[in-house]
Structures are given as structure tokens and as C-alpha cells.
Amino acid sequence: QVQLVESGGGSVQSRGSLRLSCAASGTGLSIYSMGWFRQAPGKEREGVAVIGGDGFIVYEDSVQGRFAITRGNAKNMLYLQMNSLKPEDTAMYYCAAGVVGRWYLLLPREYNYWGQGTQVTVSS
């Protein structure tokens, strides 16, 4: 069993920055892929950035070059540095963990464990 708790969301103006954190607890964390997903009102949940269990990193196209995902050495912390934020980045952001193959890392349905979410609002 894995528990995930996000923090760091908030409101920021366009082109601003935020850093999200996710604290993970449980057993076997080192084998899990962990990542960030988001869901805007009226839209499906989508993958934003994920670190695979083997360290492979993948980003959704719209955040490539603006967001950076990192994981603590102890594998129990996950971060998302978000720069050059845009209004379209506004969403609830979730941390997730699961044993996921490389080709499926950005697919929300592949993940077993989810945090409660943290809201990110970007104003123009």
C-alpha cells in the first residue's frame, strides 16, 4: 500500500512559476513509476510528467521544456517544477504511483495509487 500527499499548489499569474511536491509512504517505493497528472473542469485526467521505475522520464508535449520532474534519492519524494505557466495549465494536479510499463507511463488508468490533489490556477 502506498500513500501520497501533494502540496505546493496555488494561484500565479501567467509566466509565473510553482513547485509541486508529493510525499510518498509505503513499501516498495523504489520499483514504482511516479508521476504528475492533471484534470481541468470538464476534461479528462491527463498525464503531465512521469518518472518510470527505471528512471526514464516522459513529458506531455505541451509542458516539454517548461516543466521538470524530479525524484528524491530515497524515492519517497516527487517534485514538479513548473515554469512559464499558462492559463491552460490551470487544473487539479495529482501525484500517482504504480508499476507501469514504459509505453504506458502517461496513461492515468495504469496507476493504482493517487493523492488527493492540489489546485493550480494560472491567471492571464
Side-chain angles (χ1 to χ4, degrees):
Q1 195 76 0
V2 174
Q3 294 79 41
L4 304 169
V5 179
E6 303 97 334
S7 61
S11 297
V12 64
Q13 289 191 326
S14 184
R15 295 185 296 277
S17 297
L18 282 174
R19 188 188 193 214
L20 304 184
S21 299
C22 173
S25 59
T27 58
L29 290 175
S30 62
I31 68 169
Y32 285 97
S33 300
M34 292 185 66
W36 293 96
F37 296 77
R38 65 187 179 187
Q39 188 165 18
K43 295 188 176 181
E44 293 187 355
R45 192 169 297 188
E46 64 175 358
V48 175
V50 174
I51 295 179
D54 60 358
F56 181 77
I57 293 176
V58 61
Y59 294 97
E60 192 268 330
D61 288 347
S62 71
V63 308
Q64 182 78 43
R66 299 189 297 123
F67 291 10
I69 187 171
T70 55
R71 192 168 179 179
N73 290 336
K75 309 293 186 184
N76 62 345
M77 290 298 299
L78 186 73
Y79 304 97
L80 185 68
Q81 178 66 42
M82 304 186 293
N83 300 323
S84 302
L85 282 160
K86 304 175 181 180
E88 50 264 43
D89 294 318
T90 295
M92 185 72 79
Y93 282 70
Y94 298 91
C95 176
V99 179
V100 182
R102 181 174 289 196
W103 295 107
Y104 309 102
L105 287 174
L106 287 177
L107 296 179
R109 67 172 185 261
E110 298 293 324
Y111 291 80
N112 307 95
Y113 304 105
W114 293 87
Q116 82 289 350
T118 185
Q119 178 68 37
V120 172
T121 302
V122 184
S123 58
S124 58

